[in-house]
Amino acid sequence: MNTNKSPLFKNVVTGTLVLFFSVAMTFGQTHFSGFAGVAGNIGGKENGSGARFEADAFFAGQFDLLGRFQLRTEASVKTSDLLAADAFKDVPATFSIDELSLTVRLPSTNVSHYLAVFAGEYESIGSDLFLQRQFGIKPLASKITESWLRLNGTTIYPFSGFGGSYVLRFGTPQALGAYVYVNEKNDLRHLNFDLRFGGVLPVVTTDISFGFGFPIETKDSAGNEVIVLIRKMEFHAGITTLIGNDSLASLFLQVGLNKIVLKPDENEKALKLSDFYFLIEPRFKANFMNFHFTLFNLPERIVDDLFFISNNLGCNLGIFAENVYVGMFNLTMGAHLTVSVKDATLEKLDSVDINKDNISFQVAPFAETSLSNGTLMARLTMDFMQIQELHKTIEFTLGYKVRL
C-alpha cells in the first residue's frame, strides 16, 4: 500500500505506533526480531539502447511484548533505473508500507486465540506466512515464486486494506480464522469477509480460504448520489497444499479464484479466466539432486516482482543440488528452465498466434549460500529464443536477505 494515497492510513500508522511504544515503555520486556533484504538487478533496456540498474529493498520487523502483543511492520522500496539518474540526487523510487498489524494472543486451555487489526496486506492466502507463524514450519512455497523483496511472497488474492481478524489455534497443529477488511478494487471500495483453515497433518500441509466481497457504490442506476449501495456480491477462494514427503516425492498445489461475480451486469462476465490462478508443482528428490516441474498461470501483479519467470503462463523445470561445498561455502546450486508465452493469458490464449517471436525460453542458473545470519543469492537469466540478440536478454541479480 502506497502511503501517499491514504491519509487515513498515515493516521492509523501513527496512532498504532504511539499506542504500542507507550505500552512497551510502561511494561518493558520488549523483544525485536525481523528480516531485511536488498536486491540489485543489471540488464539491458527494453529498446536495447544500453544497460539499466535497479535496486529494491524491504524491511520487516516484529516487536513482541510480554508474549501477548506483537506489532509487525513491513516496508519496501523499489527504484527505477539508477543509471539514468544521479545516484546521489533525487533517485526516482516508490516507498510502500506493505503491512502494519497489531496482534493480541489470548491463551486458554488447549487452544489459543489471536485477535489482530491490520493495515496493508496481512497473511494473504497463497503466502505461507500464516502457516509459518502459527505452526513454525519451514517455507514451502515454490522456488520460482520466492521473493527477496518482501515476506508475503506471492498471493492468490490479498487480504489487504484495513481490517481485523480472529484466529483460533487448537492444541493440534490446526487453526481456524475469520477476516473482515475493506479495500479498493476497480475504483470501488469493497467490504470483504473470509474464512480460513490451516493445518499440518502427517502427509498434508494445507491452507484454505474462501470469502465474499461486496462492492460499495455511491451512485444508483439513475446517477443519483447515495450513501451506500450494494448491488453485487463476489466470491473468491484459494488453497495452498503440500502433499507427500520432502525426502522423496511431493506435490505442491496452489489454485484460486480472484473473483466470481454473482448476479453480474448485463455486459459483465461472471467469471474471467484471467481471475483464475494455478501453480502445479510435482517435486522429486534423487540422492542430492532435486527436480521441480511447474505449470503456472500467474497474474501480472505477481510476475512483475519475480526473479525466474517473466510471463503469466508457462512451465518451468527447476534442477538444483543442496549442500554443495565450494571451499568454506555451503551452496545450493541449480538452474531454472522456463518456457512461457509473452502477452498470453488463459482468457485470450485462443487468439494468440504462438510462434518463435512470442515464445520465451529462459535459462537461469543460480546459487545461494548462507552468509552471517542471512542468505546470499546470485542468478543469471538469458532468453535463448532470442539467440541473435542474446546479449540484450541477459540479466544478473545479486540479493541478500538477513535475519535481524
Side-chain angles (χ1 to χ4, degrees), residues 71-304:
L71 174 68
R72 297 188 179 102
T73 183
E74 182 175 347
S76 61
V77 177
K78 296 179 66 66
T79 70
S80 59
D81 185 5
L82 295 177
L83 297 181
D86 188 336
F88 299 98
K89 296 180 182 178
D90 300 326
V91 175
T94 301
F95 172 77
S96 297
I97 297 179
D98 301 309
E99 178 188 342
L100 181 69
S101 64
L102 179 63
T103 303
V104 181
R105 177 176 176 267
L106 303 173
S108 61
T109 306
N110 297 324
V111 297
S112 294
H113 307 268
Y114 296 84
L115 297 172
V117 292
F118 62 86
E121 188 171 337
Y122 181 70
E123 297 181 352
S124 298
I125 187 70
S127 164
D128 55 13
L129 266 186
F130 177 78
L131 296 174
Q132 289 187 54
R133 288 173 175 174
Q134 289 296 329
F135 310 120
I137 68 169
K138 296 187 297 184
L140 53 80
S142 170
K143 280 192 170 294
I144 68 170
T145 61
E146 284 182 343
S147 174
W148 288 71
L149 300 179
R150 56 198 309 230
L151 288 182
N152 215 28
T154 61
T155 57
I156 296 174
Y157 66 88
F159 297 161
S160 64
F162 302 96
S165 69
Y166 166 68
V167 173
L168 174 64
R169 190 179 74 190
F170 302 100
T172 57
Q174 300 177 52
L176 294 173
Y179 300 77
V180 180
Y181 54 99
V182 177
N183 56 19
E184 290 191 11
K185 294 183 289 186
N186 301 321
D187 298 324
L188 286 178
R189 187 165 294 177
H190 283 60
L191 176 63
N192 302 273
F193 300 91
D194 287 85
L195 295 177
R196 182 179 215 161
F197 169 78
V200 179
L201 307 176
V203 292
V204 177
T205 300
T206 190
D207 185 14
I208 305 170
S209 177
F210 69 90
F212 296 91
F214 300 89
I216 301 174
E217 302 179 49
T218 56
K219 290 185 179 181
D220 61 20
S221 56
N224 299 315
E225 294 284 346
V226 295
I227 298 175
V228 174
L229 176 62
I230 297 178
R231 294 187 292 184
K232 300 179 186 177
M233 181 169 65
E234 300 174 354
F235 174 77
H236 48 248
I239 178 172
T240 295
T241 297
L242 179 65
I243 305 170
N245 192 323
D246 281 344
S247 63
L248 183 60
S250 59
L251 177 63
F252 180 73
L253 295 172
Q254 285 190 312
V255 181
L257 287 168
N258 190 50
K259 70 174 179 179
I260 297 178
V261 182
L262 307 179
K263 294 184 178 180
D265 293 336
E266 184 178 348
N267 298 323
E268 184 180 19
K269 291 183 178 181
L271 172 63
K272 296 180 181 179
L273 289 177
S274 58
D275 289 322
F276 181 56
Y277 174 118
F278 69 78
L279 190 151
I280 305 170
E281 185 175 273
R283 301 173 178 178
F284 305 95
K285 192 165 188 176
N287 296 325
F288 62 93
M289 294 298 296
N290 297 269
F291 301 88
H292 294 183
F293 181 74
T294 312
L295 294 173
F296 61 86
N297 176 56
L298 305 176
E300 189 173 344
R301 61 178 172 81
I302 291 177
V303 174
D304 289 344

Side-chain angles (χ1 to χ4, degrees), residues 304-318:
D304 289 344
D305 291 333
L306 299 183
F307 288 141
F308 295 111
I309 59 177
S310 55
N311 296 304
N312 303 63
L313 183 65
C315 59
N316 172 274
L317 174 62

